[in-house]
Amino acid sequence: MNLAWLLLFLPLAVTAANQLVLRRTGLAPAIAVASALATFVLAVMLVGTEGSAAFPWATIGDFHLDIGIKLDALSTGMMLVVTGVGLAVHVFSLAYMKDDEGKARYFTGLSLFMFSMTGIVLADNFIMTFIFWELVGFSSYLLIGHWYQKESAADAAKKAFITNRIGDFGFMIGILMLWGITGHLTFDKMQPGLEAFRAANPAIWTGVLSTAVLCIFCGAVGKSAQVPLHVWLPDAMEGPTPVSALIHAATMVAAGVYMLFRVQSTLGFEVFHQLPASTVIAWTGGITALLAALMATQQDDIKRVLAYSTLSQLGYMVMAVGFVAGDAGMFHLFTHAWFKALLFLGSGAVIFACHHEQDIWKMGGLVRKMPLTTLTFAAGCAALIAVPGTSGFFSKELILDAAHHAGSPLFWVGALVAALTPFYMTRLFVVAFLGKHRSENAEHAHEVGPLMLVPLALLAVLAIFSGYSFLNRFAPARPDEAGELHVNFVSLVSLAALVIGVVAGWRLYAGKEKDPVCIPLLRERFKFDWFYDTILIRYFQNFLAAVIHFFDEFLINGVLVGGLSRGAEGVGNLFRRVQSGSLQGYAFAFGLGVILVIYLTVFL
């Protein structure tokens, strides 16, 4: 357990040292990379360890809050993902950010994020989870807005922060509801309280618990960017590309799925299966997967294509949790982390080599300029589109199988997404890497150095082989049949979707100089951003401003403040008229007052 505490607090110590002491010395990047390597080694050493430890943080009467860590297969497996991807991103960033003026601040932000994410994974109670949940939001705000001089980056950081706060408000309510239901906030102590509540309230327990779970789910909708709170993630691509690989592909956005599975295992899979909330969760994931895949087909920015791909794959994971097949969802989280981090870092290598060009239609022919990067990127694409034998094939099949076993129409939604994914990834690969150069930036591109290539090569190996039994045993959770090839209805549908998507993408985009397909609704992302900016924010904000103005001017200023001042002025005017300066008037008032006092004294 001492190793676990060291794993948790080492990134925090490095954050403090870099920010307070080392940021002007040039040592911050090296110290941050050394910390990432140390945390990865510690995570490997903790694999297979189980236990818990806590120390008191606050006491209010009989109520105690602890800072506690929990080691089990779920947390230690997830720590391998966080620290493994984190280490690859740190090493890659040494080359990618070497000329950036704010690289010390950048690596400090990476260390703070690693501390925040580690806290979520190791937390043994909801209070600690929520604290680190908010710290992850804060650290992602810093990293997305790293180039804060750019208005688009600053706006993207604010958008991510505010959007996540909406989901987090529901998450907080859900935590309080579960505390009221079970009487505990520690995961291991909630089950007895839940059973007692169920026995005492047989008629309403499913409705109350479903409401609590849906509020908890709001946090996952924000953090894992599910519809309708998905709009922040594509804009978050304004941050440095390694940040996209770390936060928006493999770890932060996966925190919502991890938290949902932790809640599901805490409440019990049978209990969760009986809740109407599970259906809502499954459909939210399915709709997100489909809409994001459709939007990806019309994006020209290489990072935005991958961002919408991430949304789509997260939808798969959430859908699996809704089907109470969270182990399949967590297995897909495990495989997806490696190949999506590979794709994002690969896109970073391409952007770096093409002098920060991100439009795929201004690339082309990169296979001749960057053969090794192209090879690793192709491995990531193969895993993402679920080519048989790759890690993505094994994990995606398990989710589709769970949907088919549930008899849900979401199976066919998942199958459609399985066809759209190879379509838009074939489009990206053909346009960016094949054909001829379409700009001077692409023509002058060159292969990146070893600091970028080594992480890409290692991630490419994991992208292909992490689904097999000799590696998938390190996954946070996985079904017993993970890593096995089966020929059945689901696999045939999946294979047909793969072939249709690849063939359609190749036929449409091979040799093209511009996009032959233009669907404005998809290119404009179903106008979600337009609706939020124009309708929900502008008109709603104007309406609230009008209401506030009415209350301020009419009620507060007009009735309360203005009314009291006018009343005081009227009383003053009345008494001012009494003070006429006439002695006869004063004598008359004095005599009238004496008579009134005598009358009240004698007769009353």
Side-chain angles (χ1 to χ4, degrees):
M1 298 309 298
N2 290 333
L3 292 179
W5 288 115
L6 180 60
L7 174 61
L8 175 61
F9 287 110
L10 177 61
L12 178 62
V14 170
T15 300
N18 282 343
Q19 179 64 24
L20 300 176
V21 180
L22 302 176
R23 62 177 179 171
R24 302 185 192 280
T25 65
L27 294 175
I31 297 298
V33 172
S35 170
L37 176 60
T39 54
F40 177 70
V41 172
L42 290 170
V44 172
M45 295 172 64
L46 289 172
V47 170
T49 304
E50 294 191 1
S52 60
F55 63 85
W57 180 45
T59 300
I60 305 171
D62 295 331
F63 179 67
H64 303 278
L65 290 179
D66 296 334
I67 295 296
I69 54 179
K70 177 180 175 65
L71 296 180
D72 57 8
L74 182 61
S75 60
T76 56
M78 189 67 184
M79 277 311 307
L80 277 181
V81 173
V82 173
T83 57
V85 173
L87 177 60
V89 168
H90 275 75
V91 174
F92 188 93
S93 297
L94 286 174
Y96 193 88
M97 303 293 289
K98 66 177 181 179
D99 297 324
D100 191 277
E101 294 181 355
K103 64 181 178 181
R105 173 167 49 84
Y106 169 82
F107 279 95
T108 300
L110 286 185
S111 295
L112 178 61
F113 175 82
M114 294 294 288
F115 167 66
S116 307
M117 194 65 207
T118 301
I120 290 178
V121 173
L122 297 181
D124 77 337
N125 63 79
F126 268 119
I127 292 295
M128 183 174 168
T129 298
F130 189 78
I131 291 171
F132 284 96
W133 192 271
E134 296 304 306
L135 273 175
V136 163
F138 172 67
S139 55
S140 66
Y141 167 80
L142 296 178
L143 290 170
I144 295 169
H146 175 71
W147 291 318
Y148 59 87
Q149 301 91 341
K150 290 172 54 181
E151 185 178 354
S152 57
D155 289 343
K158 289 184 287 186
K159 186 175 184 178
F161 190 81
I162 293 171
T163 304
N164 275 274
R165 298 293 75 72
I166 296 172
D168 293 351
F169 181 72
F171 185 32
M172 179 178 63
I173 294 174
I175 291 173
L176 295 175
M177 287 189 68
L178 282 182
W179 179 34
I181 292 170
T182 65
H184 289 282
L185 291 168
T186 303
F187 300 133
D188 290 341
K189 298 178 180 179
M190 298 182 77
Q191 191 64 40
L194 177 61
E195 292 298 327
F197 179 82
R198 182 178 181 180
N201 305 277
I204 63 169
W205 77 274
T206 55
V208 174
L209 189 58
S210 278
T211 302
V213 169
L214 287 177
C215 289
I216 292 284
F217 179 55
C218 287
V221 169
K223 200 71 74 187
S224 292
Q226 299 295 286
V227 171
L229 299 182
H230 67 287
V231 292
W232 68 268
L233 192 141
D235 288 359
M237 298 301 108
E238 291 290 339
T241 304
V243 169
S244 303
L246 177 65
I247 298 180
H248 310 119
T251 53
M252 172 183 164
V253 292
V257 179
Y258 173 83
M259 182 270 295
L260 283 178
F261 186 73
R262 176 66 80 184
V263 171
Q264 190 178 78
S265 59
T266 297
L267 299 180
F269 297 103
E270 287 298 324
V271 169
F272 204 89
H273 186 72
Q274 300 176 49
L275 300 180
S278 61
T279 303
V280 176
I281 293 172
W283 276 95
T284 301
I287 292 171
T288 300
L290 178 59
L291 294 183
L294 288 170
M295 288 185 273
T297 63
Q298 286 285 282
Q299 302 304 309
D300 296 333
D301 186 310
I302 186 172
K303 289 173 66 176
R304 282 187 178 269
V305 175
L306 298 177
Y308 282 109
S309 171
T310 299
L311 286 175
S312 186
Q313 300 304 306
L314 288 168
Y316 264 139
M317 300 174 205
V318 171
M319 186 170 68
V321 173
F323 287 133
V324 198
D327 50 354
M330 289 301 297
F331 184 47
H332 193 53
L333 183 155
F334 177 73
T335 61
H336 174 266
W338 310 116
F339 63 71
K340 189 52 66 68
L342 167 62
L343 289 171
F344 265 111
L345 292 181
S347 71
V350 168
I351 294 168
F352 184 84
C354 292
H355 306 284
H356 297 281
E357 179 59 66
Q358 296 185 199
D359 190 339
I360 59 175
W361 293 101
K362 295 180 181 179
M363 296 177 184
L366 295 180
V367 65
R368 297 186 295 276
K369 298 290 185 177
M370 309 174 68
L372 296 178
T373 299
T374 302
L375 183 62
T376 59
F377 198 91
C381 287
L384 175 58
I385 67 178
V387 171
T390 62
S391 62
F393 172 80
F394 294 119
S395 56
K396 188 203 68 176
E397 292 299 290
L398 292 171
I399 295 176
L400 290 179
D401 189 65
H404 183 257
H405 181 74
S408 172
L410 284 173
F411 168 75
W412 295 107
V413 173
L416 178 57
V417 173
L420 290 170
T421 304
F423 173 77
Y424 64 70
M425 289 307 297
T426 301
R427 171 183 181 265
L428 186 157
F429 191 83
V430 167
V431 173
F433 291 92
L434 305 183
K436 63 180 182 180
H437 308 305
R438 299 186 190 87
S439 68
E440 290 187 5
N441 287 334
E443 190 173 352
H444 296 150
H446 55 82
E447 189 62 88
V448 294
L451 281 177
M452 291 187 181
L453 277 178
V454 169
L456 293 179
L458 294 175
L459 288 171
V461 172
L462 289 169
I464 300 298
F465 296 109
S466 62
Y468 289 89
S469 58
F470 63 91
L471 286 177
N472 68 31
R473 60 193 181 92
F474 297 110
R478 63 182 180 88
D480 294 335
E481 63 272 22
E484 299 177 4
L485 286 170
H486 299 285
V487 179
N488 52 31
F489 174 74
V490 173
S491 61
L492 292 176
V493 170
S494 178
L495 185 60
L498 171 65
V499 173
I500 291 171
V502 171
V503 170
W506 181 271
R507 292 293 300 273
L508 274 173
Y509 292 99
K512 297 296 190 298
E513 295 298 314
K514 61 180 182 179
D515 200 332
V517 179
C518 183
I519 306 175
L521 185 61
L522 302 185
R523 192 171 291 273
E524 295 171 11
R525 301 175 282 183
F526 288 103
K527 294 187 177 293
F528 273 104
D529 291 273
W530 173 85
F531 175 77
Y532 286 153
D533 294 339
T534 306
I535 306 297
L536 197 60
I537 294 178
R538 184 177 302 171
Y539 289 131
F540 187 67
Q541 181 174 290
N542 290 344
F543 172 74
L544 283 181
V547 172
I548 293 172
H549 181 74
F550 170 79
F551 275 93
D552 182 52
E553 292 297 323
F554 180 73
L555 291 181
I556 297 177
N557 191 40
V559 176
L560 296 178
V561 178
L564 290 175
S565 65
R566 285 191 295 271
E569 183 181 5
V571 173
N573 288 336
L574 176 64
F575 282 100
R576 186 165 57 249
R577 290 191 177 91
V578 172
Q579 303 297 320
S580 61
S582 172
L583 290 177
Q584 293 88 343
Y586 293 160
F588 176 77
F590 177 77
L592 185 64
V594 171
I595 294 171
L596 182 62
V597 168
I598 295 172
Y599 174 79
L600 294 175
T601 304
V602 176
F603 297 102
L604 293 180

